[in-house]
Amino acid sequence: MRYEFIYNGVLNVIRLGTTLNDKIAPSNLKMIQTYHYSRAQYEEGQNKTTMNKFFGLDSDVCMDCVYAMGNGASLKGCYTHKRDQYSGMLSQLRSIGRIYGDWDNIPVFNEDIQRAIVKMCMDKYVRFGTYGEPVLLPIDLVERVCFVAKSWTGYTHQWRRVPYYDYREFFMASTQGLDESLQAETMGWRVFMDDIEKQRRTHMIGCPASEENGYKSDCAKCSLCSGTKGKGKKSVYIFNHS
Ligand code: SF4
């Protein structure tokens, strides 16, 4: 099951399905994932393309993330730039293309779509932003989904930007290193820190799905990365493995 809609010029896809990534959830768990594509990516994805071309059109959906190719990062920068994931995204975009024929025929976000999505998310684990920025979703929709979901996780790189402060309740600020993390915490965010210095942080929790913590859990079970209204109060860190 899947819903797609345009909101603020971006294509948002909300899908009920499974994942092959066992750090996120067991492969048999029916869960919700959200994807966010630019118009240029939708159009490029309808035809034969390459990972470099497709992900190079990410400015509208990755915004000022340092790993975005639109900001000059290389293809290897972002963990979403994997061959399997890319193929899945292209099939998703082509399926949407076959249904609507043209970008302008894709429905614009409305109350009926919101109601149907909230119903689909009831009692499910929701992973916001499997691809693209989840702050591109309407905040009302995020709030209602989190209210009915069994659990959720979400991350944003837009934590410095005032229009996205409300998402602090639901998503973690995605940060690199301690300085950024302390800054985000001061601004009221819980943080998911990529710990480049690889030091254990006493005021934060080490991600239990990490190598350094023995892959003890997965996100569906743990769900600590769920903002100030979610599970837990502390920030989270994971050692950088690059
Ligand atoms: S802390 Fe929990 S929710 Fe966050 S990434 Fe690790 S396993 Fe997933």
Side-chain angles (χ1 to χ4, degrees):
M1 194 185 261
R2 187 187 74 200
Y3 292 97
E4 48 270 341
F5 62 86
I6 306 293
Y7 182 72
N8 276 342
V10 162
L11 170 61
N12 299 272
V13 182
I14 323 281
R15 171 181 166 264
L16 172 67
T18 54
T19 176
L20 293 175
N21 186 341
D22 58 7
K23 289 188 203 123
I24 293 169
S27 58
N28 60 354
L29 185 82
K30 288 271 187 172
M31 58 174 280
I32 307 285
Q33 299 189 76
T34 80
Y35 304 80
H36 312 279
Y37 302 107
S38 67
R39 180 172 188 153
Q41 285 179 316
Y42 166 79
E43 282 165 359
E44 179 69 26
Q46 300 307 311
N47 302 305
K48 198 161 184 280
T49 181
T50 64
M51 288 177 74
N52 262 305
K53 271 198 213 156
F54 179 78
F55 289 117
L57 299 168
D58 61 8
S59 300
D60 288 352
V61 288
C62 297
M63 304 164 87
D64 58 7
C65 173
V66 291
Y67 302 115
M69 290 185 73
N71 293 327
S74 76
L75 183 63
K76 286 188 192 142
C78 175
Y79 70 94
T80 66
H81 298 171
K82 300 214 174 69
R83 173 73 48 190
D84 286 0
Q85 213 162 336
Y86 163 70
S87 306
M89 289 194 245
L90 286 190
S91 340
Q92 193 172 71
L93 290 174
R94 286 171 191 167
S95 152
I96 292 168
R98 282 194 297 278
I99 294 170
Y100 299 102
D102 191 86
W103 173 273
D104 293 328
N105 298 330
I106 302 172
V108 171
F109 183 65
N110 61 47
E111 191 54 44
D112 289 343
I113 294 175
Q114 171 150 290
R115 219 174 291 122
I117 292 170
V118 171
K119 191 169 169 204
M120 179 174 76
C121 295
M122 241 172 231
D123 214 25
K124 299 279 187 313
Y125 161 57
V126 181
R127 183 173 189 237
F128 288 100
T130 289
Y131 179 68
E133 261 294 345
V135 296
L136 292 165
L137 287 168
I139 187 77
D140 268 11
L141 174 64
V142 172
E143 186 170 13
R144 289 192 204 182
V145 163
C146 293
F147 188 72
V148 301
K150 182 174 184 192
S151 60
W152 75 88
T153 55
Y155 310 86
T156 178
H157 287 269
Q158 309 308 312
W159 53 269
R160 287 189 185 85
R161 300 172 69 179
V162 179
Y164 305 113
Y165 282 4
D166 287 350
Y167 294 84
R168 287 178 295 200
E169 294 186 352
F170 309 105
F171 303 153
M172 308 295 272
S174 201
T175 57
Q176 268 213 312
L178 196 58
D179 289 351
E180 269 195 1
S181 305
L182 295 177
Q183 192 190 342
E185 285 179 338
T186 307
M187 290 164 68
W189 290 87
R190 287 178 68 216
V191 158
F192 183 80
M193 172 172 79
D194 183 359
D195 193 347
I196 39 194
E197 292 148 37
K198 299 191 186 178
Q199 289 173 16
R200 299 201 181 263
R201 310 289 178 173
T202 47
H203 81 291
M204 296 185 186
I205 296 174
C207 165
S210 62
E211 185 184 334
E212 61 272 20
N213 284 308
Y215 305 114
K216 278 197 290 280
S217 191
D218 58 48
C219 295
K221 240 188 268 151
C222 163
S223 303
L224 269 180
C225 293
S226 43
T228 59
K229 275 205 172 158
K231 205 165 147 189
K233 294 283 165 250
K234 292 189 171 184
S235 291
V236 176
Y237 68 92
I238 190 165
F239 287 177
N240 181 293
H241 297 285
S242 61

